[in-house]
Coordinates of all heavy atoms in Angstrom, one line a residue:
G1 N 86.4 98.6 91.2 CA 86.5 97.4 91.9 C 86.5 97.6 93.4 O 86.8 98.7 93.9
L2 N 86.3 96.5 94.1 CA 86.4 96.5 95.6 C 87.9 96.3 96.0 O 88.6 95.6 95.4 CB 85.5 95.4 96.1 CG 84.0 95.6 95.8 CD1 83.3 94.3 96.3 CD2 83.5 96.8 96.6
P3 N 88.2 96.9 97.2 CA 89.6 96.6 97.7 C 89.8 95.2 98.1 O 88.9 94.5 98.5 CB 89.7 97.5 98.9 CG 88.3 98.0 99.2 CD 87.4 97.7 98.0
V4 N 91.1 94.7 97.9 CA 91.4 93.3 98.2 C 91.3 93.0 99.7 O 91.1 91.9 100.1 CB 92.7 92.9 97.6 CG1 92.8 92.9 96.1 CG2 93.9 93.7 98.2
L5 N 91.4 94.0 100.5 CA 91.3 93.8 102.0 C 89.9 93.2 102.4 O 89.8 92.6 103.4 CB 91.5 95.1 102.7 CG 93.0 95.5 102.9 CD1 93.1 96.8 103.7 CD2 93.7 94.4 103.7
R6 N 88.9 93.4 101.6 CA 87.6 92.8 101.9 C 87.7 91.3 102.0 O 86.8 90.6 102.6 CB 86.5 93.3 100.9 CG 86.7 92.7 99.5 CD 85.6 93.1 98.6 NE 85.9 92.8 97.2 CZ 85.7 91.5 96.7 NH1 85.3 90.6 97.5 NH2 86.0 91.3 95.5
R7 N 88.7 90.7 101.3 CA 88.8 89.2 101.3 C 89.6 88.7 102.5 O 89.7 87.5 102.7 CB 89.5 88.8 100.0 CG 88.7 89.0 98.8 CD 89.5 88.3 97.6 NE 88.7 88.4 96.4 CZ 87.8 87.5 95.9 NH1 87.5 86.5 96.7 NH2 87.3 87.7 94.8
L8 N 90.1 89.6 103.3 CA 90.9 89.2 104.5 C 90.4 89.6 105.8 O 89.7 90.7 105.9 CB 92.3 89.9 104.3 CG 93.1 89.5 103.0 CD1 94.3 90.4 102.9 CD2 93.4 88.1 102.9
G9 N 90.7 88.9 106.8 CA 90.3 89.2 108.2 C 91.2 90.2 108.8 O 92.2 90.6 108.1
P10 N 91.0 90.6 110.0 CA 91.9 91.6 110.6 C 93.3 91.0 110.8 O 93.5 89.8 111.0 CB 91.2 91.9 112.0 CG 90.4 90.7 112.2 CD 90.0 90.1 110.9
P11 N 94.4 91.9 110.8 CA 95.7 91.4 111.0 C 95.9 91.0 112.4 O 95.5 91.6 113.4 CB 96.6 92.6 110.7 CG 95.7 93.8 110.7 CD 94.3 93.3 110.5
V12 N 96.6 89.8 112.6 CA 96.9 89.3 113.9 C 98.4 89.1 114.0 O 99.0 88.4 113.2 CB 96.2 87.9 114.2 CG1 96.6 87.4 115.5 CG2 94.7 88.1 114.0
R13 N 99.1 89.8 115.0 CA 100.5 89.8 115.1 C 101.0 88.4 115.5 O 100.3 87.8 116.4 CB 101.0 90.8 116.1 CG 102.5 90.8 116.3 CD 103.0 91.8 117.3 NE 102.7 93.2 117.0 CZ 103.5 94.0 116.2 NH1 104.6 93.5 115.7 NH2 103.1 95.2 115.9
Q14 N 102.0 87.9 114.9 CA 102.6 86.6 115.2 C 103.9 86.8 116.0 O 104.5 87.8 115.9 CB 102.8 85.8 113.9 CG 101.5 85.6 113.1 CD 100.5 84.8 113.9 OE1 100.7 83.7 114.3 NE2 99.3 85.4 114.0
P15 N 104.4 85.7 116.7 CA 105.6 85.8 117.5 C 106.8 86.3 116.8 O 107.6 87.0 117.5 CB 105.8 84.4 118.1 CG 104.4 83.7 117.9 CD 103.8 84.4 116.8
D16 N 107.0 86.0 115.6 CA 108.3 86.4 114.9 C 108.2 87.7 114.2 O 109.0 88.0 113.3 CB 108.7 85.3 114.0 CG 109.2 84.0 114.7 OD1 109.6 84.1 115.9 OD2 109.1 83.0 114.1
G17 N 107.2 88.6 114.5 CA 107.1 89.9 114.0 C 106.3 90.0 112.7 O 106.3 91.0 112.0
W18 N 105.7 89.0 112.2 CA 104.9 89.0 111.0 C 103.4 89.0 111.4 O 103.0 88.8 112.6 CB 105.2 87.9 110.0 CG 105.0 86.5 110.6 CD1 105.9 85.8 111.4 CD2 103.9 85.6 110.3 NE1 105.4 84.6 111.6 CE2 104.2 84.4 111.0 CE3 102.7 85.7 109.6 CZ2 103.3 83.4 111.0 CZ3 101.9 84.7 109.6 CH2 102.2 83.5 110.3
F19 N 102.5 89.2 110.4 CA 101.1 89.3 110.7 C 100.4 88.2 109.9 O 100.7 88.0 108.7 CB 100.5 90.7 110.3 CG 101.0 91.8 111.3 CD1 102.2 92.4 111.1 CD2 100.2 92.1 112.3 CE1 102.6 93.4 111.9 CE2 100.6 93.1 113.2 CZ 101.8 93.7 113.0
R20 N 99.3 87.7 110.5 CA 98.5 86.7 109.8 C 97.1 87.4 109.5 O 96.5 88.0 110.4 CB 98.3 85.5 110.7 CG 97.3 84.5 110.0 CD 97.2 83.3 111.0 NE 96.4 82.2 110.4 CZ 95.1 82.1 110.4 NH1 94.4 83.0 111.0 NH2 94.5 81.1 109.8
L21 N 96.7 87.3 108.2 CA 95.4 87.8 107.9 C 94.6 86.6 107.3 O 95.0 86.1 106.2 CB 95.5 88.9 106.8 CG 96.0 90.3 107.3 CD1 97.5 90.3 107.4 CD2 95.5 91.4 106.5
A22 N 93.6 86.1 108.0 CA 92.8 85.0 107.5 C 92.1 85.3 106.3 O 91.6 86.4 106.0 CB 91.9 84.5 108.6
W23 N 91.8 84.3 105.5 CA 91.0 84.4 104.3 C 89.6 84.5 104.7 O 89.0 83.6 105.3 CB 91.2 83.2 103.4 CG 90.7 83.3 102.0 CD1 89.5 82.8 101.5 CD2 91.3 84.0 100.9 NE1 89.3 83.2 100.2 CE2 90.4 83.9 99.8 CE3 92.5 84.7 100.8 CZ2 90.7 84.5 98.6 CZ3 92.7 85.3 99.5 CH2 91.9 85.2 98.5
A24 N 88.9 85.6 104.5 CA 87.6 85.9 105.0 C 86.5 84.9 104.6 O 85.6 84.5 105.3 CB 87.1 87.3 104.7
D25 N 86.6 84.4 103.3 CA 85.6 83.5 102.8 C 85.8 82.0 103.2 O 85.0 81.1 102.9 CB 85.5 83.5 101.3 CG 85.0 84.9 100.8 OD1 84.3 85.6 101.6 OD2 85.3 85.3 99.7
F26 N 86.9 81.7 103.9 CA 87.2 80.3 104.3 C 86.3 80.0 105.5 O 86.1 80.8 106.4 CB 88.7 80.2 104.7 CG 89.1 78.8 104.9 CD1 89.2 77.9 103.8 CD2 89.4 78.4 106.2 CE1 89.6 76.6 104.1 CE2 89.8 77.1 106.4 CZ 89.9 76.2 105.3
G27 N 85.9 78.7 105.5 CA 84.9 78.3 106.5 C 85.4 77.9 107.8 O 84.7 77.3 108.6
G28 N 86.7 78.2 108.1 CA 87.3 78.0 109.5 C 87.5 76.5 109.7 O 87.7 75.7 108.8
R29 N 87.5 76.1 111.0 CA 87.8 74.8 111.4 C 87.0 73.7 110.8 O 87.4 72.6 110.4 CB 87.8 74.7 112.9 CG 88.2 73.4 113.5 CD 89.7 73.3 113.4 NE 90.0 71.9 112.9 CZ 91.2 71.5 112.5 NH1 92.2 72.3 112.5 NH2 91.4 70.2 112.2
Q30 N 85.7 74.0 110.6 CA 84.8 73.0 110.0 C 85.2 72.7 108.6 O 85.2 71.6 108.1 CB 83.3 73.6 110.1 CG 82.3 72.6 109.5 CD 80.9 73.1 109.7 OE1 80.7 74.2 110.2 NE2 79.9 72.3 109.3
E31 N 85.5 73.8 107.8 CA 86.0 73.6 106.4 C 87.3 72.8 106.4 O 87.6 72.0 105.6 CB 86.1 74.9 105.7 CG 86.3 74.6 104.2 CD 86.0 75.8 103.3 OE1 85.5 76.9 103.8 OE2 86.3 75.8 102.1
E32 N 88.2 73.2 107.3 CA 89.5 72.5 107.4 C 89.3 71.0 107.6 O 89.9 70.1 107.0 CB 90.4 73.0 108.6 CG 91.0 74.3 108.3 CD 91.9 74.8 109.4 OE1 92.6 73.9 110.0 OE2 91.9 76.0 109.7
D33 N 88.4 70.6 108.6 CA 88.1 69.2 108.8 C 87.5 68.5 107.6 O 87.8 67.4 107.3 CB 87.1 69.1 110.0 CG 87.7 69.5 111.3 OD1 88.9 69.6 111.4 OD2 86.9 69.8 112.2
R34 N 86.6 69.2 106.9 CA 86.0 68.6 105.6 C 87.1 68.4 104.6 O 87.1 67.3 104.0 CB 84.9 69.6 105.1 CG 84.2 69.0 103.9 CD 83.3 70.0 103.2 NE 84.0 71.2 102.7 CZ 84.7 71.2 101.6 NH1 84.9 70.2 100.8 NH2 85.3 72.4 101.2
L35 N 87.9 69.4 104.4 CA 89.0 69.2 103.4 C 89.9 68.1 103.7 O 90.3 67.3 102.9 CB 89.8 70.5 103.2 CG 89.0 71.7 102.6 CD1 89.8 73.0 102.7 CD2 88.7 71.4 101.1
E36 N 90.3 68.0 105.0 CA 91.2 66.9 105.5 C 90.5 65.6 105.2 O 91.1 64.6 104.8 CB 91.5 67.1 106.9 CG 92.6 66.1 107.4 CD 92.9 66.4 108.9 OE1 93.1 67.6 109.2 OE2 93.1 65.4 109.7
A37 N 89.2 65.5 105.5 CA 88.5 64.2 105.3 C 88.4 63.8 103.8 O 88.4 62.7 103.5 CB 87.1 64.3 105.9
D38 N 88.5 64.8 103.0 CA 88.5 64.6 101.5 C 89.9 64.3 100.9 O 90.0 64.2 99.7 CB 87.9 65.8 100.8 CG 86.4 65.9 101.0 OD1 85.7 64.9 101.4 OD2 85.8 67.0 100.6
G39 N 90.9 64.3 101.8 CA 92.2 64.0 101.4 C 93.1 65.1 101.1 O 94.3 65.0 100.7
W40 N 92.7 66.4 101.3 CA 93.5 67.5 101.1 C 94.5 67.7 102.3 O 94.2 67.3 103.4 CB 92.7 68.8 101.1 CG 91.9 68.9 99.8 CD1 90.6 68.3 99.6 CD2 92.2 69.7 98.7 NE1 90.2 68.7 98.3 CE2 91.1 69.5 97.7 CE3 93.3 70.4 98.3 CZ2 91.1 70.1 96.5 CZ3 93.3 71.0 97.0 CH2 92.2 70.8 96.2
V41 N 95.7 68.2 102.0 CA 96.7 68.5 103.0 C 97.2 69.9 102.8 O 97.1 70.5 101.8 CB 97.9 67.6 102.9 CG1 97.5 66.1 103.2 CG2 98.6 67.7 101.5
R42 N 97.7 70.5 103.9 CA 98.1 71.9 103.9 C 99.3 72.0 103.0 O 100.2 71.1 102.9 CB 98.5 72.3 105.3 CG 99.0 73.8 105.3 CD 99.3 74.3 106.7 NE 100.0 73.3 107.6 CZ 99.9 73.3 108.9 NH1 99.2 74.2 109.5 NH2 100.5 72.4 109.6
A43 N 99.4 73.1 102.3 CA 100.6 73.3 101.4 C 100.9 74.8 101.5 O 100.1 75.7 101.8 CB 100.2 73.0 99.9
W44 N 102.2 75.1 101.2 CA 102.7 76.5 101.3 C 103.1 77.0 99.9 O 103.9 76.3 99.2 CB 103.9 76.5 102.2 CG 103.5 76.0 103.6 CD1 103.5 74.7 104.0 CD2 103.1 76.8 104.7 NE1 103.1 74.6 105.3 CE2 102.8 75.9 105.8 CE3 102.9 78.2 104.9 CZ2 102.4 76.4 107.0 CZ3 102.4 78.6 106.1 CH2 102.2 77.7 107.1
H45 N 102.7 78.1 99.5 CA 103.0 78.7 98.2 C 103.7 80.0 98.4 O 103.1 81.0 98.9 CB 101.7 78.9 97.4 CG 102.0 79.5 96.0 ND1 102.6 78.9 95.0 CD2 101.7 80.8 95.6 CE1 102.6 79.7 94.0 NE2 102.1 80.8 94.3
G46 N 104.9 80.2 98.0 CA 105.6 81.4 98.1 C 105.4 82.2 96.8 O 105.3 81.7 95.7
C47 N 105.4 83.5 96.9 CA 105.2 84.4 95.7 C 105.7 85.8 96.0 O 105.9 86.2 97.1 CB 103.8 84.4 95.3 SG 102.6 85.2 96.5
K48 N 105.9 86.5 94.9 CA 106.3 87.9 95.0 C 105.1 88.7 95.4 O 103.9 88.2 95.3 CB 106.9 88.4 93.7 CG 108.2 87.7 93.3 CD 108.7 88.3 92.1 CE 110.1 87.6 91.8 NZ 110.7 88.2 90.6
F49 N 105.3 89.9 95.9 CA 104.2 90.8 96.4 C 103.1 90.9 95.3 O 101.9 90.8 95.7 CB 104.7 92.1 96.9 CG 103.7 92.9 97.7 CD1 103.5 92.5 99.0 CD2 103.0 93.9 97.2 CE1 102.6 93.1 99.8 CE2 102.1 94.6 98.0 CZ 101.9 94.2 99.3
E50 N 103.5 91.2 94.1 CA 102.4 91.4 93.0 C 101.6 90.1 92.8 O 100.5 90.1 92.5 CB 103.0 91.9 91.7 CG 104.0 91.0 91.1 CD 105.5 91.3 91.5 OE1 105.7 91.9 92.6 OE2 106.4 90.8 90.8
G51 N 102.3 88.9 93.0 CA 101.6 87.7 92.9 C 100.6 87.5 94.0 O 99.5 87.0 93.7
M52 N 100.9 87.9 95.2 CA 100.0 87.9 96.3 C 98.8 88.7 96.0 O 97.6 88.3 96.3 CB 100.7 88.3 97.6 CG 99.8 88.2 98.8 SD 100.6 88.6 100.4 CE 101.2 90.2 100.1
Y53 N 99.0 89.9 95.5 CA 97.8 90.8 95.1 C 96.9 90.0 94.1 O 95.7 90.1 94.3 CB 98.3 92.1 94.5 CG 97.2 93.0 94.1 CD1 96.5 93.8 95.0 CD2 96.7 92.9 92.8 CE1 95.5 94.6 94.6 CE2 95.6 93.7 92.4 CZ 95.0 94.5 93.3 OH 93.9 95.3 92.9
S54 N 97.5 89.4 93.1 CA 96.7 88.7 92.1 C 95.9 87.6 92.7 O 94.7 87.4 92.4 CB 97.6 88.2 91.0 OG 96.8 87.4 90.1
I55 N 96.5 86.8 93.6 CA 95.8 85.7 94.3 C 94.6 86.3 95.1 O 93.5 85.7 95.0 CB 96.8 85.0 95.2 CG1 97.9 84.2 94.4 CG2 96.0 84.0 96.1 CD1 99.0 83.7 95.2
I56 N 94.9 87.3 95.9 CA 93.8 87.9 96.7 C 92.7 88.5 95.8 O 91.5 88.2 96.0 CB 94.3 88.9 97.7 CG1 95.3 88.3 98.6 CG2 93.2 89.6 98.4 CD1 96.1 89.3 99.5
F57 N 93.1 89.2 94.8 CA 92.1 89.9 93.9 C 91.2 88.9 93.2 O 90.0 89.0 93.1 CB 92.9 90.8 92.8 CG 91.9 91.4 91.9 CD1 91.3 92.6 92.2 CD2 91.7 90.9 90.6 CE1 90.5 93.3 91.4 CE2 90.8 91.5 89.8 CZ 90.2 92.7 90.1
H58 N 91.8 87.8 92.6 CA 91.1 86.8 91.9 C 90.5 85.8 92.7 O 89.6 85.0 92.3 CB 92.0 86.2 90.8 CG 92.4 87.1 89.7 ND1 91.6 87.6 88.7 CD2 93.6 87.7 89.5 CE1 92.2 88.4 87.9 NE2 93.4 88.5 88.4
G59 N 91.0 85.6 94.0 CA 90.4 84.6 94.9 C 90.9 83.2 94.6 O 90.2 82.3 95.0
R60 N 92.0 83.1 93.9 CA 92.5 81.8 93.5 C 93.9 81.8 93.0 O 94.4 82.9 92.7 CB 91.6 81.1 92.5 CG 91.5 82.0 91.2 CD 90.7 81.3 90.1 NE 91.5 80.4 89.4 CZ 91.2 79.8 88.3 NH1 90.1 80.2 87.6 NH2 92.0 79.0 87.7
L61 N 94.5 80.7 92.9 CA 95.8 80.6 92.2 C 95.6 80.2 90.8 O 94.7 79.4 90.5 CB 96.6 79.5 92.9 CG 97.0 79.7 94.4 CD1 97.6 78.5 95.0 CD2 98.0 80.8 94.5
F62 N 96.5 80.7 89.9 CA 96.5 80.3 88.5 C 97.7 79.5 88.2 O 98.8 79.9 88.7 CB 96.4 81.5 87.6 CG 95.1 82.3 87.6 CD1 95.0 83.4 88.4 CD2 94.1 81.9 86.8 CE1 93.8 84.1 88.5 CE2 92.9 82.5 86.9 CZ 92.7 83.6 87.7
E63 N 97.6 78.4 87.4 CA 98.8 77.6 87.1 C 99.7 78.4 86.2 O 99.3 79.3 85.4 CB 98.4 76.3 86.4 CG 97.9 76.5 85.0 CD 97.7 75.2 84.2 OE1 97.8 74.2 84.9 OE2 97.5 75.3 83.0
S64 N 101.0 78.2 86.4 CA 102.0 78.7 85.5 C 102.1 77.7 84.3 O 102.4 76.5 84.5 CB 103.4 78.8 86.2 OG 103.3 79.8 87.2
S65 N 101.9 78.2 83.1 CA 101.9 77.4 81.9 C 102.3 78.1 80.6 O 102.3 77.4 79.6 CB 100.5 76.7 81.8 OG 99.5 77.7 81.6
N66 N 102.6 79.4 80.7 CA 102.8 80.1 79.5 C 104.1 81.0 79.6 O 104.0 82.0 80.2 CB 101.6 81.0 79.2 CG 101.7 81.7 77.9 OD1 102.7 82.0 77.4 ND2 100.5 82.0 77.3
K67 N 105.2 80.5 79.0 CA 106.4 81.2 79.1 C 106.4 82.6 78.4 O 107.0 83.5 78.9 CB 107.6 80.4 78.5 CG 107.9 79.2 79.4 CD 109.2 78.6 79.0 CE 109.5 77.3 79.8 NZ 110.6 77.3 80.6
E68 N 105.6 82.7 77.3 CA 105.4 84.0 76.6 C 104.8 85.0 77.5 O 105.0 86.2 77.4 CB 104.6 83.8 75.4 CG 105.3 83.0 74.2 CD 105.3 81.5 74.5 OE1 104.4 81.0 75.0 OE2 106.4 80.9 74.1
R69 N 104.0 84.6 78.5 CA 103.3 85.5 79.4 C 104.2 85.9 80.6 O 103.9 86.7 81.4 CB 102.0 84.8 79.9 CG 101.1 85.7 80.7 CD 99.8 85.1 81.0 NE 100.0 83.8 81.8 CZ 99.2 82.8 81.8 NH1 98.1 82.9 81.2 NH2 99.5 81.7 82.5
G70 N 105.4 85.1 80.7 CA 106.3 85.4 81.8 C 106.2 84.4 82.9 O 106.9 84.5 83.9
D71 N 105.3 83.4 82.7 CA 105.2 82.3 83.8 C 106.5 81.6 83.9 O 107.2 81.4 82.9 CB 104.1 81.3 83.4 CG 102.7 82.0 83.4 OD1 102.6 83.1 83.8 OD2 101.8 81.3 82.9
R72 N 106.8 81.2 85.1 CA 108.0 80.4 85.4 C 107.6 79.0 85.9 O 106.8 78.9 86.8 CB 108.9 81.0 86.5 CG 109.4 82.4 86.0 CD 110.2 83.1 87.1 NE 109.4 83.3 88.3 CZ 109.7 83.8 89.4 NH1 111.0 84.1 89.6 NH2 108.9 83.9 90.4
F73 N 108.0 78.0 85.2 CA 107.7 76.6 85.6 C 108.7 75.6 84.9 O 109.4 76.0 84.0 CB 106.3 76.2 85.1 CG 106.0 76.4 83.7 CD1 106.1 75.3 82.8 CD2 105.7 77.6 83.1 CE1 105.9 75.4 81.5 CE2 105.4 77.7 81.8 CZ 105.5 76.6 80.9
F74 N 108.8 74.4 85.4 CA 109.7 73.4 84.9 C 109.1 72.9 83.6 O 107.9 72.7 83.4 CB 109.8 72.2 85.9 CG 110.6 72.6 87.1 CD1 109.9 72.7 88.3 CD2 111.9 72.9 87.1 CE1 110.6 73.0 89.5 CE2 112.6 73.3 88.2 CZ 111.9 73.3 89.4
H75 N 110.0 72.7 82.6 CA 109.6 72.3 81.3 C 108.7 71.0 81.4 O 109.2 70.0 82.1 CB 110.8 72.0 80.4 CG 110.4 71.5 79.0 ND1 109.9 72.3 78.1 CD2 110.6 70.3 78.5 CE1 109.7 71.6 77.0 NE2 110.1 70.4 77.2
G76 N 107.6 71.0 80.8 CA 106.7 69.8 80.8 C 105.9 69.6 82.1 O 105.3 68.6 82.2
A77 N 106.0 70.5 83.0 CA 105.3 70.4 84.3 C 104.7 71.7 84.7 O 105.0 72.3 85.7 CB 106.3 69.9 85.4
P78 N 103.7 72.2 83.9 CA 103.0 73.4 84.3 C 102.1 73.1 85.5 O 101.8 72.0 85.8 CB 102.0 73.7 83.1 CG 101.8 72.3 82.5 CD 103.1 71.6 82.7
G79 N 101.8 74.2 86.3 CA 101.0 74.0 87.5 C 101.3 75.1 88.5 O 101.9 76.1 88.3
V80 N 100.8 74.8 89.7 CA 101.0 75.6 90.9 C 102.0 74.8 91.8 O 101.6 73.7 92.2 CB 99.7 76.0 91.6 CG1 100.0 76.7 92.9 CG2 98.8 76.7 90.7
Y81 N 103.1 75.4 92.1 CA 104.1 74.7 92.9 C 104.0 75.1 94.3 O 103.8 76.2 94.7 CB 105.5 75.0 92.4 CG 105.8 74.6 91.0 CD1 105.5 75.4 89.9 CD2 106.3 73.3 90.8 CE1 105.8 74.9 88.6 CE2 106.6 72.8 89.5 CZ 106.3 73.7 88.4 OH 106.6 73.2 87.1
V82 N 104.0 74.0 95.2 CA 103.8 74.3 96.6 C 104.8 73.4 97.4 O 105.4 72.5 96.9 CB 102.3 73.9 97.1 CG1 101.3 74.8 96.4 CG2 102.0 72.5 96.8
H83 N 104.9 73.8 98.7 CA 105.7 73.0 99.6 C 104.9 72.4 100.7 O 103.9 72.9 101.1 CB 106.8 73.9 100.3 CG 107.8 74.4 99.4 ND1 108.9 73.7 99.0 CD2 107.9 75.6 98.7 CE1 109.6 74.4 98.2 NE2 109.0 75.6 97.9
K84 N 105.4 71.2 101.2 CA 104.7 70.6 102.4 C 105.2 71.2 103.6 O 106.1 72.1 103.6 CB 105.0 69.1 102.4 CG 106.5 68.7 102.3 CD 106.6 67.2 102.1 CE 108.1 66.9 101.9 NZ 108.3 65.5 101.6
D85 N 104.7 70.9 104.8 CA 105.1 71.5 106.0 C 106.6 71.5 106.3 O 107.2 72.4 106.7 CB 104.3 70.9 107.2 CG 102.9 71.3 107.3 OD1 102.5 72.3 106.7 OD2 102.2 70.7 108.1
G86 N 107.2 70.3 105.9 CA 108.7 70.2 106.2 C 109.6 71.1 105.4 O 110.7 71.3 105.8
T87 N 109.1 71.6 104.3 CA 109.9 72.5 103.5 C 109.2 73.9 103.3 O 109.5 74.7 102.4 CB 110.1 71.9 102.1 OG1 108.9 71.7 101.4 CG2 111.0 70.7 102.1
A88 N 108.3 74.2 104.2 CA 107.5 75.4 104.2 C 108.4 76.7 104.2 O 108.1 77.7 103.6 CB 106.5 75.5 105.3
H89 N 109.6 76.5 104.9 CA 110.5 77.7 105.0 C 111.0 78.1 103.6 O 111.3 79.3 103.4 CB 111.7 77.3 105.8 CG 112.6 76.2 105.3 ND1 112.3 74.9 105.4 CD2 113.7 76.3 104.6 CE1 113.2 74.2 104.8 NE2 114.1 75.0 104.3
K90 N 111.0 77.3 102.6 CA 111.4 77.7 101.2 C 110.3 78.6 100.6 O 110.6 79.2 99.6 CB 111.5 76.4 100.4 CG 112.7 75.6 100.8 CD 112.9 74.4 99.9 CE 114.1 73.6 100.2 NZ 114.3 72.5 99.3
A91 N 109.1 78.7 101.1 CA 108.1 79.5 100.6 C 108.2 81.0 101.2 O 107.4 81.8 100.8 CB 106.7 78.9 100.8
E92 N 109.1 81.2 102.1 CA 109.2 82.5 102.7 C 109.8 83.5 101.8 O 110.6 83.3 100.9 CB 110.0 82.4 104.0 CG 109.4 81.6 105.1 CD 110.2 81.5 106.3 OE1 111.4 82.0 106.3 OE2 109.8 81.0 107.3

């Protein structure tokens, strides 16, 4: 397989000592504007390191829906859990 780094742009140092690596296949500002016009809003998803690898490798998020597989989710509410900007700190 190909390394997951091919899906990411170069690391850019941020003020608080962390690095941002842009999603290489994302269409930039033009795609952000299109998604916003379609009603999408920014959301924050926290995960463990191995979860981040899976997201990058597969190029998508998978819903949590199978307790036997080890997925964690609220009973009766499978899905991908995210935070809005006001609670983004909970995804750290």
Side-chain angles (χ1 to χ4, degrees):
L2 297 171
V4 294
L5 278 177
R6 70 180 170 77
R7 292 189 178 271
L8 303 173
V12 178
R13 183 182 294 276
Q14 301 300 303
D16 292 333
W18 59 279
F19 290 84
R20 177 180 187 273
L21 288 82
W23 193 261
D25 293 335
F26 188 70
R29 185 69 223 170
Q30 184 176 1
E31 188 163 355
E32 283 184 41
D33 291 343
R34 183 190 61 77
L35 291 170
E36 188 176 316
D38 287 346
W40 288 82
V41 295
R42 178 173 47 204
W44 302 86
H45 177 73
C47 63
K48 295 183 178 184
F49 195 74
E50 61 271 16
M52 181 174 59
Y53 176 86
S54 175
I55 293 165
I56 297 169
F57 179 83
H58 293 287
R60 59 176 278 197
L61 296 168
F62 291 96
E63 72 172 8
S64 293
S65 61
N66 185 333
K67 289 194 185 243
E68 289 77 35
R69 190 175 58 205
D71 294 350
R72 296 177 301 176
F73 58 96
F74 293 110
H75 179 72
V80 175
Y81 295 90
V82 297
H83 290 279
K84 56 188 172 185
D85 283 346
T87 58
H89 65 279
K90 293 182 178 184
E92 293 179 356

